[in-house]
Amino acid sequence: MNTQIGNPALNIGIFALFVVVTLLIVYRVSRASNTASDYYAAGSSFTGPQNGIAISGDYLSAASFLGIAGAIAVYGYDGFLYSIGFLVAWLTALLLVAELLRNVGRFTMGDVLSFRMRQRPIRAAAAVSTLLVSFFYLLAQMAGAGGLISLLLGVKNVPGTPFDGQSLVIAVVGILMVVYVLYGGMRGTTWVQIIKAALLVVGAAVITVWVLGLSGFNLSALLGQAVENTGKPLLDAGNQYGSSVTSKLNFLSLAIALVLGTAGLPHILMRFYTVPTAKEARRSVQWAIWIIGIFYLFTLVIGYGAAALLPRGTLNAANQNDAAPLLAFQIGGTLLLGIIAAIAFATILAVVAGLTITSAASFAHDIYANVIKDGNPEPGMEVKVARRTALVVGVVAIVGGILANGQNVAFLVALAFAVAASANLPTLLYSLFWKKFNTTGALFSIYGGLAICILLIIFSPVVSGGPTAIFGESVDFAIFPLQNPGLVSIPLSFILGIIGTFVGSREPVNEAKFAEMEVRSMTGAGASRTAVDH
């Protein structure tokens, strides 16, 4: 739907209010972000509930808010499967990663992987994986911001101009992101995420209650109305994933990537270091699961509500991301749309800020401090490098978002989850639980999983050979039939970790270090409450 709706001035005004309030908060907390511990992990000063709310703010991206509601509105049951996959993923994070990671590491995923292995190659590999996952996730968020502009703010994309309206908004989002991270560090970013999570859940709750009220608080009546209004079997499976073998494999591959990818997302893993103990890390995940689970129930009502209340033909596969804003305008007019528009932009800002500080921390802590400076950086330099890196990441994200604007960016999110599940999770699990796992095995797993995942994506239908592909139907070099590589790349990454371990079997295993890691990860004994400052 290309017609701009609502009042752009009101939409911008509400969003500007959010920006002003959060910038004031960032300014107040920025005075406590001068050391590495403060800048990367907020001095491990947040409680479990606070961090759990921030995790939900970091995790519930624009794809969750707009994408899932839209998928449910267009595809019904099949769209809700995304919500189930994203939520179940947190059980993996809770049971296998959260507490163990907090006990072993300090700032980044590289701290855990290098605990009992050779520092330089492992930290370099962990940083490469972190930067790639964060970059593709950033690109999707930034490009998504441009896609929302024409509907919510009335800013049109003018062909032939290097800096059109949508590009300008992408640049503004990038600049704000850099400001949050540059001055607020993890403490400021966390408060932005807490505020955004509260706004998102409250906004979704308002729409949910409003929609249910219009149906007499009868969910069955709402579902029936959605089917009747659209003329589609939205309560049946198979609207998006059909009965063919390829469709079933596509769904299975996506589900595996979603369920396993969350536990390997660097910007989520880094949040576990902002609490003082592993117990608080576990509480963080418990709070996050409740908030995220409740929110996804809201998306069910919002999605079917859009299908039931919007005029037939309003939504289709091309504009499904507009479902929530259009529904807000339909039931609440200009004011509710303005609030939802502001929440949508706040969502993008909070997520990109989390991704930026993760990228900055990984480069400054893993590459600069431990690879280039061999663990002995000059006092204060690590934080300075992190801030400079945040600036570079911001520029790259702005340029990439402008270049990707108008393209199908769904593959970028899929790639981020698939890479996290393929390269990061196998290496983390092997490091924590397999005594014979060595540096060669870790390098095989990370770089091998990374290479396989990216190659399969490049030669998949999401890049070429289809109407929604990046290069369209005119260019076709797709030889891999699945849209998500998880079904192939994740098992291969686990296998590569085993092969690499045996290839490097001559490398002596530091059994004392593994024993220390095992005890620390399981009990927390010896785990520092805050990280060592540089």
Side-chain angles (χ1 to χ4, degrees), residues 220-234:
S220 295
L222 176 66
L223 299 180
Q225 187 180 348
V227 173
E228 181 181 352
N229 186 46
T230 59
K232 299 177 182 178
L234 295 181

Side-chain angles (χ1 to χ4, degrees), residues 158-175:
V158 183
T161 57
F163 294 103
D164 52 67
Q166 292 190 24
S167 299
L168 180 62
V169 174
I170 291 175
V172 170
V173 170
I175 292 169

Side-chain angles (χ1 to χ4, degrees), residues 1 5-7 10-11 14 65-66 69-70 73 151-152 199-200 202-211 214 298 301-311 314-315 320-344:
M1 185 172 180
I5 59 175
N7 185 332
L10 179 64
N11 297 342
I14 298 175
F65 180 38
L66 303 173
L151 177 72
L152 299 177
L199 289 174
L200 183 60
V202 170
V206 168
I207 297 179
T208 299
V209 173
W210 201 320
V211 169
L214 294 176
F298 292 159
V301 176
I302 295 171
Y304 277 109
L309 299 174
L310 294 176
T314 301
L315 294 174
Q320 58 182 294
N321 289 339
D322 297 341
L326 288 173
L327 177 62
F329 184 68
Q330 179 78 13
I331 64 175
T334 303
L335 180 60
L336 186 58
L337 173 67
I339 294 171
I340 296 304
I343 290 174

Side-chain angles (χ1 to χ4, degrees), residues 59 82-97 255-265 285 289 292 296 417 425:
Y59 189 70
Y82 282 91
S83 295
I84 297 173
F86 281 125
L87 181 60
V88 170
W90 278 100
L91 296 178
T92 308
L94 175 63
L95 297 174
L96 296 178
V97 175
I256 290 174
L258 295 183
V259 169
L260 298 181
T262 297
L265 289 174
V285 177
I289 288 175
I292 293 168
Y296 284 144
F417 271 84
L425 186 62

Side-chain angles (χ1 to χ4, degrees), residues 186-488:
M186 180 57 84
R187 200 184 303 272
T189 300
T190 299
W191 280 112
V192 171
Q193 290 165 346
I194 289 173
I195 295 170
K196 168 255 170 165
L199 289 174
L200 183 60
V201 172
V202 170
V206 168
I207 297 179
T208 299
V209 173
W210 201 320
V211 169
L212 287 175
L214 294 176
S215 302
F217 292 97
N218 187 331
L219 182 60
S220 295
L222 176 66
L223 299 180
Q225 187 180 348
V227 173
E228 181 181 352
N229 186 46
T230 59
K232 299 177 182 178
L234 295 181
L235 302 184
D236 299 335
N239 291 312
Q240 183 174 11
Y241 299 101
S243 58
S244 68
V245 173
T246 301
S247 293
K248 292 179 179 178
L249 289 177
N250 260 325
F251 171 68
L252 181 61
S253 189
L254 177 66
I256 290 174
L258 295 183
V259 169
L260 298 181
T262 297
L265 289 174
H267 66 292
I268 298 297
L269 298 178
M270 192 170 172
R271 292 231 52 89
F272 299 137
Y273 299 124
T274 63
V275 291
T277 64
K279 179 181 177 182
E280 291 299 304
R282 188 168 62 248
R283 289 183 69 202
S284 297
V285 177
Q286 291 168 348
W287 272 75
I289 288 175
W290 275 105
I291 295 170
I292 293 168
I294 291 170
F295 175 80
Y296 284 144
L297 289 177
F298 292 159
T299 63
L300 180 68
V301 176
I302 295 171
Y304 277 109
L309 299 174
L310 294 176
R312 180 181 289 199
T314 301
L315 294 174
N316 52 52
N319 72 342
Q320 58 182 294
N321 289 339
D322 297 341
L326 288 173
L327 177 62
F329 184 68
Q330 179 78 13
I331 64 175
T334 303
L335 180 60
L336 186 58
L337 173 67
I339 294 171
I340 296 304
I343 290 174
F345 285 112
T347 295
I348 293 171
L349 266 183
V351 173
V352 296
L355 289 164
T356 303
I357 194 166
T358 300
S359 303
S362 183
F363 181 83
H365 183 63
D366 290 324
I367 299 295
Y368 173 75
N370 287 285
V371 174
I372 297 176
K373 294 297 183 180
D374 201 20
N376 296 299
E378 297 88 347
M381 275 304 297
E382 187 175 334
V383 173
K384 290 181 181 178
V385 170
R387 287 190 165 120
R388 292 168 186 167
T389 305
L391 190 60
V392 173
V393 169
V395 172
V396 171
I398 290 170
V399 174
I402 291 173
L403 293 176
N405 188 28
Q407 298 287 339
N408 176 3
V409 296
F411 86 102
L412 296 172
V413 176
L415 180 58
F417 271 84
V419 169
S422 301
N424 297 345
L425 186 62
T427 316
L428 277 170
L429 294 181
Y430 281 148
S431 296
L432 290 167
F433 299 111
W434 188 17
K435 179 164 63 174
K436 292 184 179 180
F437 192 57
N438 54 33
T439 302
T440 306
L443 296 176
F444 269 50
S445 183
I446 293 177
Y447 287 127
L450 208 58
I452 291 170
C453 189
I454 292 177
L455 282 174
L456 291 181
I457 284 283
I458 290 173
F459 293 105
S460 75
V462 299
V463 174
S464 69
T468 59
I470 298 303
F471 295 109
E473 294 180 283
S474 58
V475 179
D476 187 0
F477 49 86
I479 57 177
F480 181 67
L482 303 182
Q483 293 182 330
N484 190 289
L487 186 63
V488 176

Side-chain angles (χ1 to χ4, degrees), residues 112-136:
V112 179
L113 299 181
S114 64
F115 188 88
R116 60 188 182 93
M117 298 177 191
R118 297 203 307 273
Q119 293 281 316
R120 289 189 172 184
I122 292 298
R123 286 190 180 275
V128 168
S129 179
T130 296
L131 290 170
L132 277 174
V133 173
S134 299
F135 172 72
F136 286 114

